[in-house]
Amino acid sequence: ISEASSNVGDLLEELDEGLFNLLVEVGKVADDSGLNLYIVGGFVRDLILGVENLDIDLVVEGDGIEFAQKLVTELDGEIKESHQDFGTAIVNLNNGLKLDIASSRIEYYEYPAAPPQVEAASLKEDLFRRDFTTNALAIQLNSKKFGKLIDYFGGQEDLDSGLIRVLHNFSFIDDPSRILRALKFSNRYDFEIESLTRELIEHAIDQDVIKGLTTGRLGNELALILMEKVAPEILLDLNRFNLLKYFHPDLTWTEKEYNLALKVTNIKEWLEGLGIEEEVDNCYLYLMILVRSLDKDDIRDFLLKFKFPNDLVSKAIFVKEEVKEILNLLLQSRLQSTIVYHKLNDLSIEEMAYLALITDQPEVKEWIKDYLVKLRRIELEVTGKDIIELGHDPGPCFRRVLSKVKDKKLNGELDSYDDEYKYLKECLKRLEKGGKN
Ligand code: ATP
């Protein structure tokens, strides 16, 4: 394939001015060092598609770490991390931008799904090790060639026609995580997976190559998928290609889970309509839906194995442990606000959103609404000071007494400071008598 050469300097100029100037500056630093410098990968893809992307991956034909050092002296910043073996560095600039810098390199796989061995190489070789044509584009940043698009593998054409295509037939054998990435990108951009690429995916799946991936890499890909806007669609694909079993044999994502996931948007709108400020993270809810069919121990094992964070583990287990009980409770007649308050007060916003998501009962949503907009905002007017003024020494009973008063207030039985004060006195009196108030 011959290298198509066009210039996308005009697209770069449409970027935020600070970012554009930075790219010009780093190009100049590369000029001074006599190195060829390129911006590569997702940034270039998204620039052409008109999608914002602030992940700046730079490739230097030469020593990436040395270049990073020069960069931080010339432009204000510091090297946050560097890896001698890979020739990579992360630079944090004082203007808040982050740059990933790498020496152009090739990677060898000693056996399928093995961690790659690295060796210095030309830009073309560096681009050839990438996953898809659309991710193997580069833009040169050196002053004289600023904005030159480098497209060895037909990436621009595939972007135009909306195709995900691998660069060679062993791509999925070398790195099976690309199968998941193909499904992610095709759904994210509404692209087709090119027909040979699709066959290669099917072939690789038949060969069970995914088994060779570490749980860390698999878990990472799943976490990235869950963060996508189109996660529900991607999960349908994972299910279609029978890939969920690599995470857990009992995981499924059928129309049922998919439809539930589509309701996440409605629930978020409902919460927003109530004026709730907390952000509900979709990925938590998608994960809670995904693990619904597993039992509690399996949920824990699955999430810990794939290194999901602990708070997520507890949210997911909530799905199994408490949901039924809380739903039943919220459907009881003559239920007191205090009880609802104490039950919902321990839940995260995602857990409440999940309750609202899976119920058809308006009463449940009413109680959640009541808790969120009213009950949790109720504060007492009386304080410990009042108790001291009533002649008591500070102590653990303060909290108990105040919480008694608060419970009564939550139930709507105390309307004013005077009401609270009167009830406070009653409680203290009972306490003094040693009664079991
Ligand atoms: P996103 O918008 O999801 O961040 P991205 O393309 O920037 O997409 P990254 O995972 O940040 O994705 O990777 C950056 C680049 O590194 C990719 O564009 C691609 O060129 C290359 N790359 C990433 N993962 C792989 C892989 N598994 N195999 C080959 N190349 C990869």
Side-chain angles (χ1 to χ4, degrees):
I1 303 167
S2 66
E3 174 193 344
S5 168
S6 57
N7 194 293
V8 291
D10 53 336
L11 293 180
L12 291 175
E13 272 178 55
E14 285 169 26
L15 291 169
D16 164 85
E17 200 183 328
L19 181 55
F20 176 78
N21 291 338
L22 172 77
L23 296 180
V24 173
E25 286 303 312
V26 293
K28 284 184 185 155
V29 177
D31 291 346
D32 293 343
S33 321
L35 294 167
N36 289 327
L37 178 71
Y38 310 87
I39 186 162
V40 297
F43 181 93
V44 182
R45 174 197 67 220
D46 288 345
L47 181 79
I48 295 174
L49 290 174
V51 175
E52 185 177 62
N53 185 332
L54 295 176
D55 277 346
I56 306 174
D57 288 325
L58 301 176
V59 166
V60 194
E61 280 182 306
D63 188 330
I65 297 181
E66 215 175 280
F67 178 69
Q69 275 153 353
K70 184 149 171 99
L71 211 56
V72 294
T73 359
E74 304 273 321
L75 315 174
D76 249 2
E78 55 168 14
I79 297 189
K80 202 184 124 214
E81 237 180 84
S82 66
H83 299 277
Q84 209 66 46
D85 297 350
F86 289 91
T88 57
I90 297 175
V91 164
N92 281 344
L93 295 175
N94 291 351
N95 61 10
L97 284 169
K98 180 187 131 235
L99 308 173
D100 273 290
I101 298 171
S103 317
S104 54
R105 64 186 194 267
I106 34 173
E107 293 180 351
Y108 297 107
Y109 298 87
E110 289 187 329
Y111 51 89
Q117 305 291 310
V118 176
E119 209 172 89
S122 66
L123 174 75
K124 186 169 181 177
E125 288 166 312
D126 183 290
L127 294 175
F128 188 61
R129 76 179 165 82
R130 288 167 190 269
D131 49 2
F132 308 112
T133 57
T134 47
N135 290 350
L137 291 160
I139 300 171
Q140 191 154 4
L141 296 179
N142 299 85
S143 312
K144 285 198 179 129
K145 295 187 179 167
F146 189 81
K148 180 183 169 196
L149 180 73
I150 296 173
D151 180 10
Y152 292 113
F153 312 108
Q156 200 177 16
E157 202 182 318
D158 284 341
L159 280 178
D160 286 345
S161 25
L163 285 176
I164 299 295
R165 185 199 306 267
V166 282
L167 302 184
H168 59 83
N169 292 358
F170 290 103
S171 193
F172 295 119
I173 306 290
D174 283 346
D175 180 356
S177 73
R178 293 173 187 162
I179 297 171
L180 302 176
R181 290 174 62 86
L183 302 178
K184 176 176 78 179
F185 289 125
S186 67
N187 280 291
R188 185 201 289 173
Y189 298 111
D190 200 11
F191 279 15
E192 291 276 312
I193 297 179
E194 177 272 332
S195 63
L196 173 61
T197 302
R198 181 171 281 269
E199 276 175 38
L200 294 168
I201 290 181
E202 283 161 3
H203 176 71
I205 293 174
D206 285 346
Q207 306 269 307
D208 223 6
V209 289
I210 302 232
K211 245 176 148 173
L213 284 174
T214 60
T215 49
R217 295 199 61 200
L218 258 178
N220 184 43
E221 291 302 332
L222 181 60
L224 290 172
I225 285 171
L226 290 169
M227 283 193 262
E228 292 285 323
K229 220 166 147 187
V230 292
E233 282 78 9
I234 305 174
L235 288 163
L236 274 183
D237 267 350
L238 291 186
N239 198 60
R240 226 172 262 142
F241 281 96
N242 209 3
L243 295 175
L244 290 173
K245 66 172 185 210
Y246 293 102
F247 296 95
H248 190 283
D250 299 333
L251 279 185
T252 56
W253 189 269
T254 61
E255 286 294 315
K256 202 165 140 201
E257 283 78 20
Y258 176 71
N259 289 329
L260 211 47
L262 292 188
K263 278 171 64 187
V264 168
T265 318
N266 305 346
I267 293 297
K268 285 178 71 164
E269 279 166 12
W270 174 67
L271 289 170
E272 230 178 271
L274 298 178
I276 306 304
E277 277 161 17
E278 294 109 308
E279 266 295 319
V280 173
D281 210 329
N282 288 20
C283 68
Y284 285 104
L285 286 168
Y286 296 150
L287 191 74
M288 289 157 91
I289 296 170
L290 180 64
V291 300
R292 269 165 99 231
S293 52
L294 303 186
D295 69 29
K296 192 181 115 192
D297 291 337
D298 284 345
I299 295 177
R300 178 178 286 120
D301 292 348
F302 154 63
L303 293 174
L304 293 177
K305 179 171 167 195
F306 291 100
K307 304 192 170 61
F308 281 92
N310 281 335
D311 70 316
L312 237 171
V313 178
S314 72
K315 284 191 175 88
I317 286 181
F318 161 82
V319 168
K320 215 64 217 175
E321 287 222 301
E322 284 178 79
V323 160
K324 269 210 187 100
E325 179 210 320
I326 298 179
L327 287 179
N328 286 337
L329 176 95
L330 296 181
L331 286 169
Q332 280 173 15
S333 53
R334 287 191 294 147
L335 178 62
Q336 287 190 322
S337 301
T338 329
I339 305 223
V340 175
Y341 173 82
H342 288 294
K343 204 75 210 172
L344 298 186
N345 204 32
D346 291 333
L347 303 187
S348 65
I349 191 72
E350 282 87 7
E351 287 164 334
M352 276 181 267
Y354 183 79
L355 285 173
L357 186 74
I358 61 159
T359 186
D360 294 327
Q361 312 281 349
E363 298 95 309
V364 172
K365 276 174 88 178
E366 268 311 303
W367 273 122
I368 295 173
K369 174 182 160 188
D370 208 38
Y371 168 79
L372 287 170
V373 303
K374 203 177 93 196
L375 299 179
R376 67 172 175 165
R377 294 188 179 143
I378 289 179
E379 300 277 358
L380 284 182
E381 289 178 61
V382 290
T383 63
K385 242 169 98 189
D386 293 295
I387 307 181
I388 294 168
E389 277 168 24
L390 285 163
H392 295 262
D393 293 331
C397 70
F398 273 38
R399 191 204 275 256
R400 252 189 21 237
V401 172
L402 286 171
S403 100
K404 286 245 150 240
V405 183
K406 178 143 181 198
D407 282 353
K408 212 167 179 65
K409 185 163 182 176
L410 283 165
N411 276 343
E413 294 171 42
L414 305 173
D415 285 333
S416 62
Y417 174 80
D418 289 345
D419 283 357
E420 287 179 30
Y421 192 73
K422 213 168 118 200
Y423 186 61
L424 179 71
K425 271 180 25 192
E426 251 175 62
C427 291
L428 287 167
K429 218 176 257 163
R430 259 184 270 161
L431 195 71
E432 267 171 9
K433 278 194 203 147
K436 313 179 204 102
N437 47 49

